[in-house]
Amino acid sequence: MAVDPDPLPPAELVEDLFRREYAHLVSALVRVLGPSNIPLAEDVVQDALVSAMQAWRFGLPRDPKAWIIRAAHNRAIDIIRREQRRRSFLPELATTTALTDTIEAALAPAAEASSQLAMMFAVCDPGLSRETQVTLVLRWLCGLSPKEIGQAFLVDTQTIDRRLHRGRGRLRTLGRLPDVDDLPDLDVRRGSVLRSLYLLFNEGYHGSNPQDPVRPFLCDDALQLTELLLQARTTAHPDAHALAALFCFGTARLSTRMDELGVFVPLEDQDRRRWDRARIERGLIHLAHAATGDHMSRWHLEAGIACEHAIAPSVQETNWDRIIGFYQVLAEQSPSPVVALNRALAVAERDGVDEGRRELLALAQEPKLARYPFYWAARADLERRAGRHAPAREHYEHAIALSRSAAERAAFERRIESLKIS
């Protein structure tokens, strides 16, 4: 295939292409080879990507995706022929003609969505832990390496390898990847899928990796996979629309969450003119679709809160009544100290700093908040706004001691500096 003479684009562009094609190709080949041959599917794709890296040293082909798909196609046929006698493959791979046709159909663009849907619902098996489900989504549907997943969740690669091993073992019991239409526990799995995608989005939006706390591509992957659910009749659901809305409102603000120095920017200081209005409109459409029926999930409530922030011209003009109402229902449905913390901050905006401070003090004995830097930063912010600089400094220093990344630490240090000039 002809290669353009242009120099290779930046490494991250190639890396992103490989990551996305890894997810597509593994899902497609697992449908063909069967879940018992997941390691083989991974080897085929890895071989294709290595071949591409070698062939592309002097420039990208005109259609990189087609190049990789053709390489994976050829490699899959070679390996299946070689392994035919030793391995158990699906019956449709028995003859050369059938093998070629089946691989061709599986790797065709028209089959991409159905393969990824089947893979997503398979890995979110209720018999697997939530951590394992998210690990499998990150590996097989987002194309992250075990090392990258370990870095994201601050665990060693061996832990990730064990989760992948458990996932492969569970899926090995399946004769083939089931079509979502045939799953008897579709509703249960849908809940697991949505939780996994929510955790995936959070890892991209403000994750645990201290060197790279914001990774927009993970947020985009979470949105793309959520909208994939909405393309099929059986997986489309108001909850999925609500989650997609939440992701749209979040990603619309991503470009303003950190400044050019890599420091987190508080909501009140973000330049709202730079928010992605088209993405916000997309979120509003999803939110409208989510409103069918009388069901209101956690995702509906969180999307409602995010929507109010996204459409408000400023912090002062935000509809804090609605936000507090959403937090109140959320606290009743899914009580947590972090929900209570966020509600207290909304109360401070509506009812005044002293009311918000009173609610934050009531949470002081919550064990989870004691080690949560944003609890102490929230207390510091309210003390600063009330003109009490000494306790504000003390709380900011506590937040700095607990900070999980340089971006967080610099943001809190910047607020201490602001005390000196206020």
Side-chain angles (χ1 to χ4, degrees), residues 113-114 117 121 179-183 186-187 190 226-241 292:
S114 60
L117 267 181
F121 275 79
D179 288 328
V180 291
D181 298 356
D182 300 330
L183 289 170
L186 180 64
D187 289 340
R190 183 192 296 110
T226 305
E227 291 186 327
L228 187 63
L229 299 177
L230 300 170
Q231 294 179 20
R233 179 185 56 81
T234 50
T235 57
H237 191 273
D239 287 5
H241 274 295
T292 57

